[in-house]
Amino acid sequence: MTNKIIEPIATEPVFVENYDLQSANTLAIPATAAYFCEVESRQQLVNALAFAEQKKIESLIVGEGSNLVFANDYQGLVIQNKLLGIHVLEQSVDEILIRVGAGENWHALVEYCVDHGWYGIENLALIPGLAGAAPIQNIGAYGAELKDVLVQLTYIDKASLETTQMSNANCEFAYRQSVFKQRLKNKGVIADLTLRLFPNAKPSLSYPALRDQLPNDASPKQVFDAVCKLRQAKLPAPSQIPNAGSFFKNPIVSSTQLGKLKEQFPGLVSFAFEGDHKIAAAWLIDHRGWKSKSIKGVGVHQDQALVLVNPRRAKGSDVLGFARQIQDDVQNSFGIWLEIEPIVIG
Ligand code: FAD
Ligand code: EPU
């Protein structure tokens, strides 16, 4: 029997200068980064942060770039997260705690949990990106959000390099929102997540299309399959047509505001949301006739008005210019300002 030799991971990342970011963002925006590296260990991550510090440049940790808009070339160091590992920390008849490295692919993690028969993240199937980015905007879909299962996460402060455990409450999660998009924006790196999953639970079927087709005791796999089918029918795959998913957030308005809007626009689509109402931004954009329109190569997807597509790989300023025209038009027509969902860099 021969012993398997495991190569140690070098502590120093490989830094590449003038890196082409086009394949590092799903909108396929042509931009460059002054420096780029991958990190496979916490030590490499710390060394990458030290490199940026020493060069007096900014750093940006990225996953799959599925929620990023590069407005310009990036003058700092882009760090590609490859911190892997899935570990079961505790398992009882009632619940399972797992720790997931931030560099794990999110959908592969969902498949792993579904294969084990664990409830918790099956509604979040097929969301592109890595686990480490999931807390940034508290990813959500089909009636579930990351905040429903996240127990805590490991956070490394970029300036002090101090590592802390942040509880769910400290992440200040809300709809497509967290402390990492506000006070801690670009201030630190998420190294891993601890999630709570359930072997026996009721499926989350609040989304009408799921409720209509699944039994009350649907298994995680049944929910997973239904969600995958819905998404594949509605959302364009970035590998086929570059996009970043929903480009705008659904606006939230009070009952009074909604009442006034509905008097003028009886067909307006809205959903009750935490005491207020979420308006379908797709309906607003669709109603204004933007579907399938394009300017300078940037367009509104033909089947989902909330998704901007970039088939001709236009630059970030053209994507944002097009988005601005939609924002202005919706503001003038409905008095509602659409907030951009992806993170704009530069
Ligand atoms: P990136 O785009 O690489 O990064 C996003 C932000 O997170 C950046 O600010 C980055 O600096 C920061 N970041 C990334 N990793 C870390 C880390 N380890 N530590 C600290 N900061 C970090 N989102 C939803 O919520 N629901 C959906 O249904 C959904 N559907 C989508 C469908 C399509 C077709 C596409 C293209 C996108 C969709 N999205 C959706 C958006 C996107 O998938 C999520 O926001 C995802 O979490 C982004 O992951 P990423 O690894 O690509 O992050
Ligand atoms: N609609 C239109 N025109 C369209 C598309 C939709 O009028 O072209 C109307 C329909 O009436 C539909 C309603 O808008 O019922 C809502 O559409 P959908 O259920 O497809 O969801 P969405 O509000 O457009 C949100 C999320 C998605 C998430 C889905 C499913 C936001 C900004 N977007 O989209 O998340 O996958 O719900 O839960 O909250 C993302 O964040 O990138 C993303 C894709």
Side-chain angles (χ1 to χ4, degrees):
M1 199 174 88
T2 51
N3 286 326
K4 195 173 160 207
I5 298 168
I6 299 169
E7 293 284 338
I9 298 171
T11 54
E12 200 55 37
V14 176
F15 296 100
V16 183
E17 268 184 77
N18 206 20
Y19 185 84
D20 183 355
L21 291 168
Q22 193 160 169
S23 57
N25 73 99
T26 62
L27 264 169
I29 289 172
T32 56
Y35 294 93
F36 174 89
C37 72
E38 294 181 348
V39 293
E40 294 180 14
S41 67
R42 286 216 201 159
Q43 190 55 54
Q44 282 194 342
L45 171 63
V46 166
N47 289 353
L49 295 172
F51 174 90
E53 181 76 27
Q54 183 206 333
K55 289 231 173 267
K56 302 204 181 335
I57 54 174
E58 281 184 14
S59 64
L60 178 76
I61 179 104
V62 298
E64 291 183 353
S66 63
N67 218 30
L68 279 178
V69 183
F70 288 103
N72 298 295
D73 288 338
Y74 184 65
Q75 306 301 340
L77 167 68
V78 168
I79 305 172
Q80 170 71 69
N81 182 353
K82 300 246 170 179
L83 302 174
L84 300 178
I86 301 179
H87 303 280
V88 175
L89 302 177
E90 282 175 39
Q91 185 160 11
S92 70
V93 284
D94 298 324
E95 63 178 47
I96 298 105
L97 287 188
I98 59 168
R99 180 176 299 144
V100 184
E104 291 288 341
N105 175 271
W106 177 262
H107 179 70
L109 172 69
V110 175
E111 277 184 315
Y112 172 90
C113 295
V114 167
D115 286 348
H116 282 79
W118 301 335
Y119 288 91
I121 53 175
E122 59 282 2
N123 296 51
L124 305 179
L126 278 188
I127 297 184
L130 302 185
I136 307 299
Q137 69 162 6
N138 176 29
I139 56 167
Y142 301 97
E145 287 184 328
L146 179 79
K147 75 169 166 50
D148 307 333
V149 294
L150 186 111
V151 178
Q152 60 182 26
L153 54 81
T154 303
Y155 178 82
I156 303 174
D157 181 82
K158 279 189 188 177
S160 67
L161 299 180
E162 194 190 336
T163 300
T164 46
Q165 290 299 316
M166 280 182 72
S167 68
N168 182 310
N170 288 340
C171 296
E172 298 173 25
F173 289 128
Y175 164 62
R176 296 293 189 276
Q177 195 57 272
S178 77
V179 72
F180 311 107
K181 279 179 89 174
Q182 310 261 350
R183 191 167 48 79
L184 295 182
K185 187 170 180 186
N186 207 20
K187 294 260 190 274
V189 175
I190 294 166
D192 62 46
L193 317 180
T194 301
L195 307 182
R196 178 178 285 118
L197 303 157
F198 303 94
N200 306 298
K202 280 215 170 306
S204 166
L205 303 178
S206 61
Y207 192 85
L210 292 181
R211 201 169 48 227
D212 292 348
Q213 58 172 302
L214 291 171
N216 287 338
D217 61 350
S219 67
K221 178 79 168 88
Q222 283 175 297
V223 177
F224 173 90
D225 287 340
V227 167
C228 289
K229 219 166 148 197
L230 279 172
R231 292 186 71 99
Q232 278 156 348
K234 282 186 181 190
L235 289 161
S239 55
Q240 275 159 22
I241 182 157
N243 75 86
S246 299
F247 203 85
F248 304 102
K249 296 207 270 185
N250 286 324
I252 295 163
V253 298
S254 65
S255 297
T256 320
Q257 281 172 293
L258 182 70
K260 283 186 190 151
L261 281 162
K262 286 237 168 163
E263 271 173 29
Q264 248 187 306
F265 308 101
L268 183 104
V269 176
S270 67
F271 309 89
F273 180 75
E274 296 176 358
D276 286 317
H277 302 270
K278 222 186 231 180
I279 293 182
W283 187 89
L284 303 175
I285 298 166
D286 208 347
H287 191 73
R288 291 296 304 153
W290 282 98
K291 224 169 184 171
S292 297
K293 279 203 176 150
S294 71
I295 297 174
K296 291 190 184 172
V298 188
V300 172
H301 190 254
Q302 65 204 26
D303 301 325
Q304 224 310 354
L306 208 44
V307 176
L308 298 194
V309 291
N310 189 18
R312 284 168 38 197
R313 289 153 170 74
K315 47 188 203 295
S317 52
D318 290 337
V319 174
L320 292 168
F322 183 66
R324 181 66 194 234
Q325 292 199 34
I326 296 176
Q327 286 172 308
D328 287 342
D329 185 45
V330 167
Q331 170 76 52
N332 292 337
S333 311
F334 305 100
I336 292 174
W337 183 251
L338 292 180
E339 274 179 50
I340 291 181
E341 188 202 273
I343 311 280
V344 179
I345 307 292

